[in-house]
Amino acid sequence: MRNRFDSQLDLLNQKMIEMGSMCEEIIALTAKALKTGDEKLAKKVPLLENDIDHMERDIESLCLRLLLQQQPVARDLRQISGALKMITDMERIGDQSEDISEFIKYLGDKAKDDCQYIYLMAESAIKMVSDSVEAYVKKDIALAKSAIEYDDVIDDYFIKTKKTIINLIEQKSNDGEYLLDLLMVAKYFERIGDHAVNIAEWVEFSVAGVHKGD
């Protein structure tokens, strides 16, 4: 019985890695579409977001089967409940990437010269998601803490983006709507960073049984 349960936990880890990779991919795809102004590329984002939604449901079903059909000990219970919490934030990363993709039809390739810090925010968010999922699988609290701390990098880039946009508003007063759209895109990437923090905090819970929100 325990061997079957362990194999199901291994399957859970594999699915978490796969969903994490999807999140990394959708952030990178969204950033590339923003950088190039490629609407065809932007239209791929909702398709990938749909795949993330399906993966969330698959993992949720697996977790519920493990909870209902088995009698997990405290450590296993934390791993399963932590996964359930993490996939909610992963799904929201997909949602917000799709929200960003909606702006690309209005921004076009105009944004490529004004988004340097936004691209860096995207790269930082990818790192945080990657590290958080790896920390979950390896039960590595130190790596989870490192991912949480890395959010300061995204916050710093967001501050720099706001300053850049304020300067551009002063220089290009006729571009107010475009620049506000750009600020919204930056805010979505900042929120993606917040979700990556949440994921890492649930990793800490799954390993140590302590959650910052408690």
Side-chain angles (χ1 to χ4, degrees):
M1 182 69 75
R2 180 68 206 191
N3 288 341
R4 184 174 183 278
F5 183 68
D6 286 341
S7 69
Q8 292 292 93
L9 287 179
D10 288 341
L11 177 61
L12 174 59
N13 282 343
Q14 292 169 21
K15 287 184 174 291
M16 292 296 289
I17 291 170
E18 187 176 349
M19 190 172 181
S21 295
M22 288 179 177
C23 288
E24 294 168 37
E25 183 182 353
I26 201 170
I27 297 168
L29 179 65
T30 303
K32 185 176 181 181
L34 179 66
K35 193 170 189 176
T36 59
D38 188 335
E39 286 191 44
K40 289 183 179 178
L41 205 58
K43 288 178 181 177
K44 294 181 180 180
V45 174
L47 300 177
L48 184 52
E49 195 277 331
N50 191 52
D51 290 340
I52 290 173
D53 285 348
H54 284 299
M55 181 58 74
E56 181 194 24
R57 289 194 288 272
D58 285 348
I59 293 174
E60 185 178 54
S61 295
L62 174 57
C63 287
L64 292 177
R65 285 200 305 273
L66 285 167
L67 291 171
L68 294 173
Q69 296 174 6
Q70 308 292 336
Q71 292 182 333
V73 298
R75 181 189 61 192
D76 298 329
L77 185 59
R78 290 198 306 269
Q79 183 178 352
I80 297 165
S81 56
L84 284 169
K85 295 291 187 179
M86 289 169 67
I87 60 174
T88 298
D89 281 291
M90 288 184 184
E91 191 273 334
R92 287 175 182 167
I93 286 173
D95 287 344
Q96 287 168 350
S97 296
E98 183 176 6
D99 289 336
I100 293 169
S101 73
E102 289 294 316
F103 283 95
I104 292 169
K105 69 181 79 170
Y106 306 111
L107 296 172
D109 63 357
K110 190 177 182 181
K112 65 180 183 294
D113 296 324
D114 300 324
C115 286
Q116 57 174 321
Y117 294 121
I118 295 178
Y119 305 140
L120 293 172
M121 289 174 74
E123 290 174 3
S124 299
I126 291 170
K127 173 179 169 55
M128 288 174 68
V129 172
S130 175
D131 287 351
S132 296
V133 174
E134 183 179 351
Y136 173 81
V137 172
K138 293 182 176 179
K139 299 179 173 57
D140 187 336
I141 290 182
L143 186 56
K145 288 182 181 296
S146 175
I148 292 168
E149 291 169 359
Y150 208 79
D151 188 49
D152 290 342
V153 176
I154 291 185
D155 290 342
D156 183 57
Y157 288 142
F158 182 56
I159 290 169
K160 288 177 178 176
T161 298
K162 287 194 292 185
K163 289 180 179 177
T164 298
I165 290 174
I166 288 169
N167 289 334
L168 288 171
I169 288 173
E170 292 174 353
Q171 298 167 20
K172 306 175 182 179
S173 57
N174 292 333
D175 283 344
E177 186 173 353
Y178 150 72
L179 293 168
L180 287 176
D181 284 347
L182 207 56
L183 182 60
M184 282 298 301
V185 166
K187 185 61 181 175
Y188 277 124
F189 274 117
E190 191 263 344
R191 287 177 182 169
I192 286 172
D194 289 341
H195 286 302
V197 168
N198 291 344
I199 292 168
E201 288 177 349
W202 284 114
V203 171
E204 287 188 300
F205 166 80
S206 72
V207 177
V210 177
H211 186 259
K212 189 176 179 180
D214 295 339

Short mmCIF file of all heavy atoms in Angstrom, two decimals, residues 13 75 78-79 86 128-149 197 199-209:
data_model
loop_
_atom_site.label_atom_id
_atom_site.label_comp_id
_atom_site.label_asym_id
_atom_site.label_seq_id
_atom_site.Cartn_x
_atom_site.Cartn_y
_atom_site.Cartn_z
N ASN A 13 4.85 14.91 -7.90
CA ASN A 13 6.05 15.71 -8.12
C ASN A 13 6.27 15.98 -9.61
O ASN A 13 6.60 17.10 -10.02
CB ASN A 13 7.29 15.01 -7.55
CG ASN A 13 7.39 15.15 -6.04
OD1 ASN A 13 6.74 16.01 -5.45
ND2 ASN A 13 8.19 14.32 -5.41
N ARG A 75 3.65 14.54 7.37
CA ARG A 75 4.57 15.05 6.35
C ARG A 75 3.95 14.95 4.96
O ARG A 75 4.03 15.87 4.15
CB ARG A 75 5.88 14.26 6.40
CG ARG A 75 6.94 14.71 5.39
CD ARG A 75 8.10 13.74 5.38
NE ARG A 75 7.62 12.40 4.98
CZ ARG A 75 8.34 11.29 5.09
NH1 ARG A 75 9.53 11.33 5.64
NH2 ARG A 75 7.84 10.13 4.69
N ARG A 78 1.14 17.45 4.46
CA ARG A 78 1.64 18.80 4.14
C ARG A 78 2.06 18.90 2.68
O ARG A 78 1.81 19.91 2.02
CB ARG A 78 2.83 19.16 5.04
CG ARG A 78 2.47 19.39 6.49
CD ARG A 78 3.57 20.15 7.21
NE ARG A 78 4.88 19.51 7.08
CZ ARG A 78 5.37 18.62 7.94
NH1 ARG A 78 4.65 18.24 8.98
NH2 ARG A 78 6.57 18.10 7.76
N GLN A 79 2.68 17.83 2.17
CA GLN A 79 3.11 17.84 0.77
C GLN A 79 1.92 17.95 -0.17
O GLN A 79 1.94 18.72 -1.14
CB GLN A 79 3.90 16.57 0.45
CG GLN A 79 4.44 16.54 -0.98
CD GLN A 79 5.26 15.29 -1.28
OE1 GLN A 79 5.57 14.51 -0.38
NE2 GLN A 79 5.61 15.09 -2.54
N MET A 86 -0.20 25.61 -4.01
CA MET A 86 0.74 26.10 -5.03
C MET A 86 0.10 26.19 -6.40
O MET A 86 0.33 27.15 -7.15
CB MET A 86 1.95 25.17 -5.08
CG MET A 86 2.87 25.28 -3.86
SD MET A 86 4.11 23.96 -3.80
CE MET A 86 5.11 24.38 -5.23
N MET A 128 12.19 32.66 -10.12
CA MET A 128 11.52 32.40 -8.84
C MET A 128 10.61 31.17 -8.93
O MET A 128 10.59 30.34 -8.02
CB MET A 128 10.71 33.63 -8.43
CG MET A 128 11.56 34.80 -7.97
SD MET A 128 10.55 36.28 -7.66
CE MET A 128 9.61 35.75 -6.22
N VAL A 129 9.86 31.06 -10.02
CA VAL A 129 8.97 29.91 -10.19
C VAL A 129 9.79 28.62 -10.29
O VAL A 129 9.49 27.62 -9.64
CB VAL A 129 8.07 30.07 -11.43
CG1 VAL A 129 7.29 28.79 -11.70
CG2 VAL A 129 7.11 31.23 -11.25
N SER A 130 10.84 28.67 -11.10
CA SER A 130 11.70 27.50 -11.27
C SER A 130 12.30 27.04 -9.94
O SER A 130 12.27 25.85 -9.60
CB SER A 130 12.82 27.82 -12.27
OG SER A 130 13.72 26.74 -12.38
N ASP A 131 12.84 27.99 -9.19
CA ASP A 131 13.47 27.67 -7.90
C ASP A 131 12.44 27.14 -6.90
O ASP A 131 12.73 26.23 -6.12
CB ASP A 131 14.18 28.90 -7.33
CG ASP A 131 15.47 29.23 -8.07
OD1 ASP A 131 15.89 28.41 -8.92
OD2 ASP A 131 16.05 30.30 -7.81
N SER A 132 11.25 27.72 -6.91
CA SER A 132 10.21 27.30 -5.96
C SER A 132 9.77 25.86 -6.21
O SER A 132 9.63 25.06 -5.27
CB SER A 132 9.01 28.23 -6.04
OG SER A 132 9.36 29.54 -5.65
N VAL A 133 9.54 25.52 -7.48
CA VAL A 133 9.11 24.16 -7.81
C VAL A 133 10.24 23.16 -7.51
O VAL A 133 9.99 22.07 -6.97
CB VAL A 133 8.65 24.06 -9.28
CG1 VAL A 133 8.34 22.61 -9.64
CG2 VAL A 133 7.43 24.94 -9.52
N GLU A 134 11.47 23.54 -7.84
CA GLU A 134 12.61 22.67 -7.52
C GLU A 134 12.72 22.47 -6.00
O GLU A 134 13.00 21.36 -5.53
CB GLU A 134 13.90 23.27 -8.06
CG GLU A 134 15.12 22.39 -7.83
CD GLU A 134 16.41 22.97 -8.39
OE1 GLU A 134 16.35 23.98 -9.13
OE2 GLU A 134 17.48 22.40 -8.09
N ALA A 135 12.49 23.54 -5.25
CA ALA A 135 12.54 23.45 -3.78
C ALA A 135 11.46 22.52 -3.26
O ALA A 135 11.69 21.76 -2.30
CB ALA A 135 12.38 24.85 -3.18
N TYR A 136 10.29 22.55 -3.88
CA TYR A 136 9.19 21.66 -3.47
C TYR A 136 9.58 20.20 -3.67
O TYR A 136 9.42 19.37 -2.76
CB TYR A 136 7.94 22.00 -4.27
CG TYR A 136 6.79 21.03 -4.05
CD1 TYR A 136 5.97 21.14 -2.95
CD2 TYR A 136 6.55 20.01 -4.98
CE1 TYR A 136 4.92 20.24 -2.75
CE2 TYR A 136 5.51 19.12 -4.79
CZ TYR A 136 4.70 19.24 -3.67
OH TYR A 136 3.67 18.35 -3.48
N VAL A 137 10.09 19.91 -4.85
CA VAL A 137 10.43 18.52 -5.18
C VAL A 137 11.58 18.02 -4.31
O VAL A 137 11.58 16.88 -3.83
CB VAL A 137 10.78 18.39 -6.67
CG1 VAL A 137 11.31 17.00 -7.00
CG2 VAL A 137 9.55 18.69 -7.53
N LYS A 138 12.57 18.89 -4.08
CA LYS A 138 13.75 18.49 -3.31
C LYS A 138 13.58 18.71 -1.80
O LYS A 138 14.48 18.39 -1.03
CB LYS A 138 14.97 19.27 -3.80
CG LYS A 138 15.40 18.92 -5.22
CD LYS A 138 16.65 19.68 -5.62
CE LYS A 138 17.13 19.26 -7.00
NZ LYS A 138 18.34 20.04 -7.40
N LYS A 139 12.42 19.31 -1.43
CA LYS A 139 12.18 19.64 -0.01
C LYS A 139 13.31 20.51 0.55
O LYS A 139 13.83 20.27 1.65
CB LYS A 139 12.00 18.37 0.82
CG LYS A 139 10.81 17.52 0.37
CD LYS A 139 10.69 16.26 1.19
CE LYS A 139 9.41 15.49 0.86
NZ LYS A 139 9.30 15.13 -0.56
N ASP A 140 13.65 21.53 -0.23
CA ASP A 140 14.80 22.39 0.06
C ASP A 140 14.30 23.75 0.56
O ASP A 140 13.95 24.64 -0.23
CB ASP A 140 15.64 22.55 -1.21
CG ASP A 140 16.95 23.29 -0.98
OD1 ASP A 140 17.05 24.05 0.00
OD2 ASP A 140 17.87 23.10 -1.80
N ILE A 141 14.28 23.94 1.87
CA ILE A 141 13.78 25.19 2.46
C ILE A 141 14.68 26.37 2.09
O ILE A 141 14.20 27.47 1.84
CB ILE A 141 13.66 25.06 3.99
CG1 ILE A 141 12.50 24.12 4.34
CG2 ILE A 141 13.40 26.42 4.63
CD1 ILE A 141 12.27 23.95 5.82
N ALA A 142 15.99 26.14 2.06
CA ALA A 142 16.93 27.22 1.75
C ALA A 142 16.66 27.78 0.35
O ALA A 142 16.69 29.01 0.14
CB ALA A 142 18.37 26.72 1.85
N LEU A 143 16.38 26.90 -0.60
CA LEU A 143 16.09 27.35 -1.96
C LEU A 143 14.75 28.10 -2.01
O LEU A 143 14.62 29.10 -2.73
CB LEU A 143 16.06 26.16 -2.92
CG LEU A 143 15.90 26.47 -4.41
CD1 LEU A 143 17.00 27.42 -4.90
CD2 LEU A 143 15.91 25.17 -5.22
N ALA A 144 13.78 27.64 -1.24
CA ALA A 144 12.50 28.34 -1.17
C ALA A 144 12.68 29.74 -0.59
O ALA A 144 12.11 30.72 -1.11
CB ALA A 144 11.52 27.54 -0.31
N LYS A 145 13.47 29.86 0.46
CA LYS A 145 13.73 31.17 1.06
C LYS A 145 14.45 32.09 0.07
O LYS A 145 14.17 33.29 0.00
CB LYS A 145 14.57 31.02 2.34
CG LYS A 145 13.82 30.43 3.52
CD LYS A 145 14.70 30.36 4.75
CE LYS A 145 13.97 29.75 5.93
NZ LYS A 145 12.83 30.56 6.39
N SER A 146 15.38 31.52 -0.69
CA SER A 146 16.10 32.30 -1.70
C SER A 146 15.14 32.85 -2.76
O SER A 146 15.26 34.00 -3.19
CB SER A 146 17.16 31.42 -2.37
OG SER A 146 17.80 32.10 -3.42
N ALA A 147 14.16 32.02 -3.15
CA ALA A 147 13.15 32.47 -4.12
C ALA A 147 12.32 33.62 -3.57
O ALA A 147 12.02 34.58 -4.28
CB ALA A 147 12.26 31.30 -4.52
N ILE A 148 11.95 33.51 -2.30
CA ILE A 148 11.18 34.58 -1.65
C ILE A 148 11.96 35.88 -1.63
O ILE A 148 11.44 36.95 -1.96
CB ILE A 148 10.78 34.16 -0.22
CG1 ILE A 148 9.78 33.00 -0.27
CG2 ILE A 148 10.19 35.34 0.56
CD1 ILE A 148 9.55 32.32 1.07
N GLU A 149 13.23 35.79 -1.26
CA GLU A 149 14.07 36.99 -1.18
C GLU A 149 14.28 37.63 -2.55
O GLU A 149 14.45 38.85 -2.65
CB GLU A 149 15.41 36.63 -0.55
CG GLU A 149 15.32 36.27 0.94
CD GLU A 149 16.59 35.66 1.49
OE1 GLU A 149 17.57 35.49 0.70
OE2 GLU A 149 16.61 35.33 2.69
N VAL A 197 6.23 34.19 -4.91
CA VAL A 197 6.53 34.22 -3.47
C VAL A 197 5.57 33.29 -2.72
O VAL A 197 5.98 32.50 -1.86
CB VAL A 197 6.42 35.65 -2.91
CG1 VAL A 197 6.43 35.64 -1.38
CG2 VAL A 197 7.57 36.51 -3.41
N ILE A 199 4.06 30.68 -3.82
CA ILE A 199 4.43 29.30 -4.11
C ILE A 199 5.57 28.86 -3.19
O ILE A 199 5.53 27.79 -2.58
CB ILE A 199 4.83 29.14 -5.60
CG1 ILE A 199 3.60 29.35 -6.50
CG2 ILE A 199 5.44 27.77 -5.85
CD1 ILE A 199 3.95 29.51 -7.97
N ALA A 200 6.59 29.72 -3.08
CA ALA A 200 7.75 29.39 -2.24
C ALA A 200 7.36 29.28 -0.77
O ALA A 200 7.88 28.43 -0.04
CB ALA A 200 8.85 30.44 -2.42
N GLU A 201 6.43 30.13 -0.33
CA GLU A 201 5.98 30.05 1.06
C GLU A 201 5.23 28.75 1.34
O GLU A 201 5.35 28.18 2.43
CB GLU A 201 5.12 31.26 1.39
CG GLU A 201 5.92 32.55 1.50
CD GLU A 201 5.07 33.78 1.77
OE1 GLU A 201 3.82 33.68 1.67
OE2 GLU A 201 5.65 34.84 2.07
N TRP A 202 4.48 28.26 0.34
CA TRP A 202 3.80 26.98 0.53
C TRP A 202 4.79 25.82 0.48
O TRP A 202 4.53 24.76 1.07
CB TRP A 202 2.69 26.81 -0.51
CG TRP A 202 1.48 27.64 -0.16
CD1 TRP A 202 0.98 28.71 -0.84
CD2 TRP A 202 0.65 27.48 1.00
NE1 TRP A 202 -0.10 29.22 -0.18
CE2 TRP A 202 -0.33 28.50 0.95
CE3 TRP A 202 0.64 26.60 2.08
CZ2 TRP A 202 -1.30 28.64 1.93
CZ3 TRP A 202 -0.32 26.73 3.06
CH2 TRP A 202 -1.29 27.74 2.98
N VAL A 203 5.91 26.01 -0.20
CA VAL A 203 6.98 25.00 -0.15
C VAL A 203 7.49 24.89 1.29
O VAL A 203 7.67 23.78 1.82
CB VAL A 203 8.14 25.36 -1.10
CG1 VAL A 203 9.32 24.42 -0.87
CG2 VAL A 203 7.69 25.28 -2.55
N GLU A 204 7.73 26.04 1.92
CA GLU A 204 8.18 26.04 3.31
C GLU A 204 7.19 25.29 4.20
O GLU A 204 7.57 24.51 5.08
CB GLU A 204 8.36 27.48 3.82
CG GLU A 204 9.56 28.20 3.26
CD GLU A 204 9.79 29.53 3.94
OE1 GLU A 204 8.91 30.40 3.87
OE2 GLU A 204 10.86 29.70 4.56
N PHE A 205 5.90 25.53 3.94
CA PHE A 205 4.88 24.84 4.73
C PHE A 205 4.93 23.33 4.50
O PHE A 205 4.84 22.53 5.44
CB PHE A 205 3.49 25.37 4.37
CG PHE A 205 2.36 24.51 4.87
CD1 PHE A 205 1.96 24.60 6.19
CD2 PHE A 205 1.71 23.61 4.04
CE1 PHE A 205 0.93 23.80 6.68
CE2 PHE A 205 0.69 22.80 4.51
CZ PHE A 205 0.30 22.90 5.83
N SER A 206 5.08 22.92 3.23
CA SER A 206 5.05 21.50 2.92
C SER A 206 6.23 20.75 3.55
O SER A 206 6.12 19.57 3.87
CB SER A 206 5.07 21.29 1.40
OG SER A 206 6.32 21.60 0.83
N VAL A 207 7.34 21.48 3.75
CA VAL A 207 8.52 20.84 4.34
C VAL A 207 8.53 20.96 5.87
O VAL A 207 8.76 19.99 6.58
CB VAL A 207 9.82 21.46 3.77
CG1 VAL A 207 11.06 20.84 4.43
CG2 VAL A 207 9.88 21.27 2.26
N ALA A 208 8.26 22.17 6.37
CA ALA A 208 8.45 22.44 7.80
C ALA A 208 7.15 22.57 8.59
O ALA A 208 7.17 22.63 9.81
CB ALA A 208 9.28 23.71 7.97
N GLY A 209 6.02 22.66 7.89
CA GLY A 209 4.76 22.79 8.59
C GLY A 209 4.47 24.19 9.11
O GLY A 209 3.55 24.37 9.91
#
